[in-house]
Amino acid sequence: MRPIKARISIGAMAHNLRVARSHAGTACVFAVVKANAYGHGLSRALRALGAADGFAVLTLEEAANLRLMGVGKPILLLEGIFGADEIATCAELDLWPVLHHAAHLDWLQQQPSARPLQVFLKFDSGMHRLGFPLADHAAVVARVRSLPGVAGITLMTHFAQADEAAGVDWQLQPFLHEMADHGLTWSSANSAALLRYPETQGAWVRPGIMLYGASPFAEVPAEQLGLRPAMTLQSEIISVQTLQAGEGVGYGQLFRAERAMLVGVVACGYADGYPRHAPTGTPVLVNARVSRILGRVSMDMLCVDLTECADAGVGSPVVLWGEGLPVEVVAAAAGTSSYELLCALAPRVPVEEIA
């Protein structure tokens, strides 16, 4: 068997949910499990995050799978519905769609749900992605309240810079000010807002990345936030090469040795989900020691520096991210985000589930 595998911890995800809840005050917690639970597996995440008050997904297919798995709790459709024909499915499965566009209101008016739906009404407070303009709130709320297919409304917005110095006030305060007269519950907090801004709690919080043990903040490690990594991507050295001064390694010979050195070849490449664009210097653990990758990542292999790992050889363990090496550290070195790395785990990588 090729030695690469992803070890995914049920216990770590359950622990991280407890951390999220400790920051949530009286708010209910939606566990965000879209994108196959950020690469961790939907059924696996369900077992780990069963104590959540509800689940947030992207598609009807994900929601239907959760219902088939026995979930009876609220399920939020973060991008809403994509056609009037999906209203009936929302009613049948008791799903809570996010309404963020005039077409959604038209569809509900033309084809009212036989079973009135709980809906989240999303307003754009500055991210300029999804949501009704804040300036239109009075008319939009009044129209949704008049729809016979709507049983209840929760107001919603999403933060663009909760993980950055700009923070949330520039979005939160206008949102709360405009919505104050409607007497409706609201939801705004993602992982970063939940951890840093208690004033964003509202009625529902929506943690995502923190549930999987990664920090949403570039400057704060997950461990400092009390989070545990849920996924550890690991492999082994399958070959050792000796480079002389001036010799290169890998496609393009992007790395050339300044002196004689040993290079380990690891069974992991971009077809496994490791970022091809990760440059020389991206950290890895070899025999539990910090090392670095060298040269260009190949489809099935990458090379690592064994200069500080004299005892390493064929069969030595390598951690690409996870236990001992936070995924956000690897992502920063590769110029990407932990979200992308976790979600990109390839189907061909075997998964070992641990407690």
Side-chain angles (χ1 to χ4, degrees), residues 193-337:
L194 176 60
L195 289 166
R196 187 165 279 177
Y197 302 105
E199 64 270 26
T200 66
Q201 288 170 359
W204 286 89
V205 296
R206 312 188 302 270
I209 193 66
M210 68 177 294
L211 299 180
Y212 307 102
S215 172
F217 307 113
E219 77 284 5
V220 183
E223 184 178 11
Q224 189 173 317
L225 298 169
L227 304 174
R228 292 169 45 193
M231 180 194 295
T232 296
L233 181 62
Q234 64 186 61
S235 190
E236 295 177 4
I237 292 175
I238 59 172
S239 177
V240 175
Q241 300 293 329
T242 300
L243 296 188
Q244 300 302 321
E247 290 184 332
V249 64
Y251 289 120
Q253 301 283 275
L254 298 185
F255 173 81
R256 290 188 179 274
E258 295 181 354
R259 58 186 180 278
M261 64 183 298
L262 294 179
V263 173
V265 181
V266 181
C268 178
Y270 60 78
D272 300 301
Y274 197 86
R276 182 179 183 272
H277 56 272
T280 291
T282 300
V284 294
L285 296 182
V286 179
N287 276 352
R289 296 179 185 173
V290 177
S291 184
R292 58 177 182 150
I293 73 168
L294 302 173
R296 180 173 289 160
V297 176
S298 301
M299 182 182 290
D300 310 305
M301 291 170 279
L302 55 82
C303 295
V304 297
D305 188 350
L306 300 184
T307 301
E308 303 298 326
C309 309
D311 57 341
V314 172
S316 292
V318 176
V319 171
L320 289 311
W321 64 67
E323 287 287 344
L325 182 61
V327 65
E328 58 266 29
V329 172
V330 178
T336 185
S337 72

Side-chain angles (χ1 to χ4, degrees), residues 142-154:
R143 184 180 179 193
V144 175
R145 277 178 157 156
S146 73
L147 295 174
V150 171
I153 303 168
T154 298

